[in-house]
Amino acid sequence: MVQLINGEYDEVYGVNGAQVNIDQLLETDESLYRYVIRKFSYKYEDIDSIPPEKLKKEIQKYYEDKGVTANITQRISKDDPLYGASGKQTSLHSAM
């Protein structure tokens, strides 16, 4: 999560483990939160009413435009017990 928010590392490599989810990012990254509010405020009452796939795509675009995702490598084994608990529908692991 620190790489996404601050871009502090030259390279990040992750294997399995708990994935960063959208709620965590919105709570931690104030710039992202403001961006999402501006982007969707005309159409949705609040963040919770934004369709998850639209929100996920916009957050991925935000971090790609910020230039912090290029050096993130994530390997995920579907056999790992944490995979099922990762909340994959609301996490960003599939993008990295």
Side-chain angles (χ1 to χ4, degrees), residues 53-70:
E53 277 306 309
K54 278 189 174 197
L55 183 59
K56 181 178 176 179
K57 278 186 177 184
E58 200 57 47
I59 290 173
Q60 289 170 344
K61 181 182 179 318
Y62 170 83
Y63 285 120
E64 287 168 7
D65 291 350
K66 191 173 172 182
V68 295
T69 60

Side-chain angles (χ1 to χ4, degrees), residues 17-70:
Q19 306 303 314
V20 173
N21 72 41
I22 290 172
D23 291 334
Q24 290 170 329
L25 286 170
L26 290 169
E27 288 176 19
T28 307
D29 190 341
E30 291 179 31
S31 295
L32 171 65
Y33 180 82
R34 287 191 301 270
Y35 172 82
V36 168
I37 294 296
R38 281 192 311 271
K39 182 79 178 177
F40 291 105
S41 65
Y42 71 95
K43 194 171 184 180
Y44 300 100
E45 271 185 45
D46 57 29
I47 288 177
D48 293 333
S49 65
I50 302 168
E53 277 306 309
K54 278 189 174 197
L55 183 59
K56 181 178 176 179
K57 278 186 177 184
E58 200 57 47
I59 290 173
Q60 289 170 344
K61 181 182 179 318
Y62 170 83
Y63 285 120
E64 287 168 7
D65 291 350
K66 191 173 172 182
V68 295
T69 60

Side-chain angles (χ1 to χ4, degrees), residues 69-87:
T69 60
N71 295 326
I72 297 176
T73 304
Q74 178 72 45
R75 302 285 183 244
I76 298 169
S77 169
K78 291 182 179 181
D79 295 331
D80 188 291
L82 288 176
Y83 177 79
S86 70

